[in-house]
Amino acid sequence: MAQYGDYQLEIYGAGLKGVLPRWPVDFAGLESAAAAALPDWILNYVAGGSGDERTQRGNAEAFGWWGIVPRMMRGAYERDLSTSFCGVDLPTPLFCAPVGVIGICSQDFHGDLAVARACARTGVPMVMSTLTNDPLEDVAEALGDTPGFFQLYTPKDRDVAVSLIQRAEKAGFRGLVVTLDTWVTGWRPRDLNTANFPQLRGHVLANYFSDPAFRALLTDAPEEDPRAAISLWSRMFGYSVGWDDLTWMREATDLPILLKGISHPEDARRAVELGVDGLYCSNHGGRQANGGLPALETLPDVVAAAGDVPVLFDSGVRSGADVAKALALGARAVGLGRPYAYALALGGEEGVVHHLRSVLAETDLVMAVDGYPTLADLRGPGSIRRLPQGVA
């Protein structure tokens, strides 16, 4: 039976013929190569975080504060990485987290489609951002049979919000991921120092410009008067979702609803009481608010408060070992963000496929070597332990 870890055998086998990997298999290599490949205005927007970026760094560093406890003599010859949440069965617990400027990270500015095609080839779900360079219907088509989820930045105009949600359901997306922490943009010095906000220049607004409810608010079509359309979008952006909004969202769609940005157990409990289908523990990769706890540190409390409701996770994930640790702490699925954006910048669709396979391979091999043949085993008691303070 083939296992995801066998990808390393492909790489070593190709090496015997003098063929080396076209792109790095590690995050540090991807980050360094992407820094040379991307224009500064895109690189800084993707790589940057809020404030002095301490929270962003802490997200990644927090994984070093935890360690999986190896179990021996368990014969984990075959590993089962399958998982499920919100009625969707998945071969692995990995997904591509929403990146609002992924469309401009590829050389042809159609990164959303390239990522969707890579997900279709690997079976890794894509959580597609509201902010794309191609309409959501085209992205859904490119995903094929691989599940996609639609992430919503809720606009102030209710009709536009409902239209986006219903378009996503009609297009075949399997869930609605409502982002809670981006009704206002965080303080981002890298972007502020260059006065760089891609959306105000008309990038990644295809879902709005193609939306009938949005277009109905314009005198002229977006393609005829893009400045007016951009201005309308900027006035519409910035709605702070409240608990009462779950009522009209439920009325608008039959899709499962997941709340993204949940980090406090009281918020998790309130969401569960109100009947949400899933929670998404994340601090937006450190892009929105500096000075907060690393997301990984909040994950165990959110999982405990969620009970049987599945918890997704992202923020600071850089490797397959990181994925395994987040799973051991209770995440049902784990999302990649900046890493796959860098892979896209370097190799387009093929680069993303390579990166996803690399992360899955390492996750699989960590489970094999440490003696955890299933995700249930990995989540079992005693599988992970926090290092003594100061060791990491």
Side-chain angles (χ1 to χ4, degrees), residues 212-231:
F214 182 89
R215 294 171 70 96
L217 299 174
L218 294 167
T219 302
D220 297 305
E223 52 271 22
E224 297 170 1
D225 190 354
R227 289 187 180 182
I230 294 169
S231 177

Side-chain angles (χ1 to χ4, degrees), residues 164 190 262 304:
L164 289 169
R190 291 206 212 191
I262 299 293

